[in-house]
Amino acid sequence: MSSALPAFDTHEVFNQPPPFGGRNLWADDVALAEAVQREGGDGFAVALARYGGLAGDALYGLGFDANRDKPRLRTHDAQGHRIDTVEFHPTYHQLMDAAKVHGVAGLSWHDGTAGAHVARAALSYLHHQADAGTSCPLTMTHAAVAVLRQDPALAEWADKAAAPHYDRRDVPIADKAGITLGMGMTEKQGGSDVRSNTTRAEPQADGSYRLVGHKWFFSAPMSDGFLVLAQAPAGLSCFLMPRRLPDGNRNAFRLMRLKDKLGDWSNASSEVELCGAWARRVGEEGRGVATIIGMVMMTRLDCMLGAAAEMRMALAQALHHTRHRTSFGKRLCDHPLMANVLADLAMESEAATTFAIRVAGAVDRARHSSVDAAFARIATAVGKYWVCKRAAVFVNEAQECLGGAGYVEESMLPRLYRQAPLNSIWEGSGNIQCLDVLRALAREPQVAPVLDAELDAVAGRDAIYDAALQALRSALATSPGEAQARRITEQLALLLQAAVLLRANSLIAGAFVRTRLGGEHGMAFGTLPADLDTAAVLARALP
């Protein structure tokens, strides 16, 4: 007698969307392509299309494995030797290799042509959609070049950080064609208040220093070198601390533990003790913040780009799902209320992306233009605050478009939701950015005229915009204090986003102004006026 159980077909699988992967994230993103062209990066369109295809297919798949299997810290080997090694899933290294080879960490430095910073920003935006965790070491590696190039003696470090090569080996940089860099700024007693750092930098006879102390957040501890702040005899200073010394020995620091983070799972963040670690000074003693500020400005731009990328991917996931799923006799996306939500998200996403690339364009031109340098200075702080602040609520709304499917790990939405708060916290939280905005307006005389010119360039095109601009100027005329910093920064962000959309003659410009500046919007997404053409907005958002 057979013991086989009878087969029962309990149900048929239908009304489920196909897998999302296999898309070209560049070809799908009209707003990104138009913004890159406007800001002078159109010469890199072929390379961006190539990476967009890679990010939307192979890298998209690798990101799931890299986040499912978190990094592990091994402090000792089997014989008891201290090794301080971080082990990753193999896909992490594949993601890093693809990004480095294609210029995510260095195109703007090793190419040097006009528009290279814009193209590098777009590459970062595309990569972040596939995996946000690897964006952390890539961002720091890119940004550190701006600091290292201040010292000709560090040319090898700068050139290898910018080089399109990835080498995971834990060996001295002389044996590598390409390197990655991390940073260590914050300590237990003070996060944003880095001047309260207690780590000591003890001068040596040969001009080097020995670092003694701790770092509460030591980012990307598997990197080849780190920019670290420490107290030298003349005050807080910036130092380059290699992981391996030129003779091949480990430098004198110990990884104490990896942070158990809300998100950013594919990347390792650590706590570290510096036990007389060898380092060389970068910049003048006592000028550590001024030396490292160029790196911070670059990383803040990437925070903005990362938040915009998360919003874009969340939107794409929501549109893909609602276009392939039916309810009550028609596609989800064709229900008027769902269309309102999706169109609202699409407008927010385009405004974030367009503004982030506008700032990247200013960074690109800042080398030769004091006007662009001043605009990049203020707009980076404004955008870092507002775009990053919007990401978490945006991703949650996109999750709701998928219902329960957006809450399980087989979807990308839970990973995006965990990731969404990071860029708002990292590299100076919201209050720090808003205070920086007020400080720049009050103390840097070149900032206000440049900001006025940017906002005045589209004055007269829309009465609602003009009224909002006048309201902002009236508010600024009262010399607002610290308690009003967030409100002022929010108004500035919305006006700057509106200005770039109006200048671009974007399809959504008028609707953005009506809803974000004119009050025709509620507190939640999906509260657009009834007369807006949501179908046209959604057709533009994702082909």
Side-chain angles (χ1 to χ4, degrees), residues 103-108 115-125 142 301-302 305:
V104 176
L107 176 68
S108 47
H117 273 283
V118 176
R120 202 287 315 177
L123 286 169
S124 180
Y125 173 93
H142 172 259
L301 170 59
D302 276 18
L305 288 162

Side-chain angles (χ1 to χ4, degrees), residues 385-409:
Y385 170 71
W386 184 243
V387 176
C388 296
K389 187 64 70 180
R390 297 292 283 166
V393 66
F394 185 107
V395 173
N396 179 239
E397 193 69 63
Q399 281 183 296
E400 195 169 323
C401 295
L402 276 69
Y407 200 69
V408 297
E409 294 296 334

Side-chain angles (χ1 to χ4, degrees), residues 282-298:
V282 186
E284 299 175 31
E285 262 199 21
R287 297 276 297 165
V289 173
T291 299
I292 208 168
I293 196 66
M295 180 179 188
V296 173
M297 290 293 289
M298 291 285 185

Side-chain angles (χ1 to χ4, degrees), residues 102-156:
H102 286 83
V104 176
L107 176 68
S108 47
W109 306 119
H110 67 72
D111 184 285
T113 60
H117 273 283
V118 176
R120 202 287 315 177
L123 286 169
S124 180
Y125 173 93
L126 293 169
H127 182 87
H128 197 96
Q129 292 180 62
D131 176 62
T134 46
S135 290
C136 179
L138 293 166
T139 284
M140 290 188 294
T141 300
H142 172 259
V145 177
V147 177
L148 296 173
R149 285 192 168 176
Q150 298 176 34
D151 187 343
L154 298 175
E156 181 185 15

Side-chain angles (χ1 to χ4, degrees), residues 311-368:
M311 293 160 72
R312 171 63 192 177
M313 178 53 74
L315 170 66
Q317 296 277 341
L319 283 170
H320 176 78
H321 180 88
T322 58
R323 284 172 174 171
H324 289 93
R325 186 150 171 102
T326 61
S327 68
F328 307 106
K330 56 184 175 182
R331 296 189 307 168
L332 267 176
C333 64
D334 293 331
H335 290 277
L337 185 52
M338 179 61 80
N340 193 305
V341 171
L342 292 167
D344 209 354
L345 292 172
M347 288 169 50
E348 189 78 17
S349 174
E350 179 168 341
T353 298
T354 303
F355 183 47
I357 298 299
R358 167 72 183 95
V359 177
V363 170
D364 191 82
R365 296 182 290 273
R367 295 167 290 177
H368 311 293

Side-chain angles (χ1 to χ4, degrees), residues 35 38-39 301 304-305 308 349-362 375 378-387 451 454 492-501:
R38 278 195 306 276
E39 297 302 326
L301 170 59
M304 191 191 331
L305 288 162
S349 174
E350 179 168 341
T353 298
T354 303
F355 183 47
I357 298 299
R358 167 72 183 95
V359 177
F375 179 76
I378 186 72
T380 299
V382 171
K384 164 70 166 71
Y385 170 71
W386 184 243
V387 176
L451 197 57
E454 178 80 7
L492 256 176
L494 293 173
L495 279 162
L496 286 167
Q497 286 183 318
V500 73
L501 292 171

Side-chain angles (χ1 to χ4, degrees), residues 47 81 93 97 140 190 265 269 303 346-347 404 411 423 438 486 502:
H81 302 114
H93 296 293
D97 183 71
M140 290 188 294
W265 285 358
S269 304
C303 286
M347 288 169 50
S411 162
N423 287 305
L438 290 190
R486 284 195 175 213
L502 287 167

